[in-house]
Amino acid sequence: MDEPALIQDAQRGDLDSFNTLVLNYQDMLFNTALRIMGDADSAADATQEAFLSAFRAIKSFRGGSFKSWLLRTVTNACYDELRRQKRRPTTPLEPVMDDGEEMETPRWLADPSMGPEEAAEIDELEHAIQHCLDELPVEFRSVVVLTDIQGMDYKEAARAVRVPLGTIKSRLARARLRMRECLQGFWELLPTAFRLEDEDLRT
Amino acid sequence: MTQTPSFRDVEKLSAYLDGQLKPSEVARLESRLQSEPQLASILKDLRQARGLLRQLPQRRAPRNFTLTPKMVGQKPPMPRTYPIFRFATVMAALFLFLTFATNFMAPRLVRTAAPYPYGLGGGGGGGEAEPELQMETAPEASAGAEAAEPMEEPAEPEALAPPEREPAAPAPTPEPSAAEDNARAEPTVGPSEKSGVQEVPTGEGFAQQTAPDEVEQAQPASPLFSTLVQIVLAAVAVLSGLIALILRYIAIHKWRAKAK
């Protein structure tokens, strides 16, 4: 795929070229939105909105990393979606048991849109991490998602969320500490291979 | 977790993990890590958290997020003649409406404006629609005038004077009496006819008695815009509209075929 050529064609209004880029990046954008939003439906909405915004604004793309530009767009779309949800809250995120107690297991975070097979093989680790991500303030969450999950460097992340580099460092450090503390609560739920003591996780 | 290290230390440890520290800062931090176990413990926590985050599986998008022309508001390219026909349709329809509106409104506007020319001695200045007004009211007025002839006699000398020469002030004198006489002499007159008489108190008996020429002119008012003009405008509107629609349909059809 000749990405620069596709981008140039898309800048001239060629929707087919842009859709080729969409197909190439849609998984990445959806995953970013999924981790920031916490549920698949909202993530899909934000992803679609991000691609729409990207097409409308693609003439303003002046080179550099197209991936970073798209990640910035989807982060903004997630912020917009979260603001919209805050204005018009829908169903509560946390379900309750029959006796009114809140479910403590992270299994409830299983995403019904992921299909029956996937739902049957609920990934405890994934849902525990997602639960802890959801506990973070959104500005911390977006930084963690962009750097630790999508692999952006600090400068790219700073451009994406439009904050100074120092703020990125600070937010990332706080977010990692909070994630570590939160995940302690799911210690027994985590498979042995993912125990925090496992030094193999270090990269 | 340690309390001793400051949050600035935690920030540095986090940046150290990501290779974002300067070499001099790296050397200093590594020497501290050797001597401060609490700092090393925090580094371990941060590394584990980051490692877990990186273990998150990548999900596939539940559907394709490709955009359609409709979503991005793209429109098929229209032929150059399309806006001409569209403009012609709009203008023809607008003019057609104006012709109807003018034909409908003009007599009413003239009728409401009529008392002033007559009352001010400006007889004959009532415009083209004035004769029509006289036609509506003149027969009853004349009947009324005949029935009330003895009572009207004193007013005749004044009314016989040509309206052009009549000063504005004397003119109202016969008007109320003529109107009242008409109303009295014609008890079967309908409400609408009465209102017609009241709207133009100066016109009826006065016109009948003094200006027979004007009665002859009182033909049915011909509309400002003839039916022929309206038919032409309607034909232009319909035809150009149809052509514009066909051009649009062909353009969209070709565009969709090309997109597929």
Side-chain angles (χ1 to χ4, degrees), chain B residues 208-224:
Chain B
Q208 174 71 20
Q209 294 162 16
T210 62
D213 295 347
E214 290 180 19
V215 177
E216 285 176 14
Q217 289 171 9
Q219 301 297 321
S222 60
L224 286 178

Side-chain angles (χ1 to χ4, degrees), chain A residues 11-30:
Chain A
Q11 285 177 324
R12 284 193 286 267
D14 185 358
L15 194 57
D16 291 338
S17 298
F18 185 80
N19 280 337
T20 308
L21 294 165
V22 169
L23 292 173
N24 196 41
Y25 284 106
Q26 63 182 5
D27 286 345
M28 184 191 74
L29 260 64
F30 174 73

Side-chain angles (χ1 to χ4, degrees), chain A residues 33-47:
Chain A
L34 180 64
R35 300 310 170 200
I36 294 176
M37 301 299 296
D39 79 284
D41 289 338
S42 300
D45 290 346
T47 306

Side-chain angles (χ1 to χ4, degrees), chain A residues 111-182:
Chain A
D111 190 340
S113 71
M114 289 178 179
E117 289 182 10
E118 285 174 299
E121 302 168 2
I122 296 170
D123 188 335
E124 298 280 1
L125 173 66
E126 179 183 359
H127 292 122
I129 293 172
Q130 184 63 56
H131 176 74
C132 291
L133 276 172
D134 292 342
E135 295 288 306
L136 293 175
V138 66
E139 59 269 24
F140 285 29
R141 200 187 315 155
S142 57
V143 172
V144 165
V145 169
L146 291 175
T147 53
D148 284 345
I149 298 176
Q150 295 300 342
M152 272 186 156
D153 63 31
Y154 286 15
K155 283 182 183 173
E156 286 176 331
R159 275 200 297 271
V161 294
R162 291 176 184 164
V163 294
L165 202 65
T167 308
I168 292 292
K169 284 182 186 175
S170 169
R171 285 181 182 177
L172 195 56
R174 282 185 196 277
R176 282 170 174 168
L177 280 181
R178 287 197 193 186
M179 285 295 293
R180 176 68 179 82
E181 288 169 14
C182 175

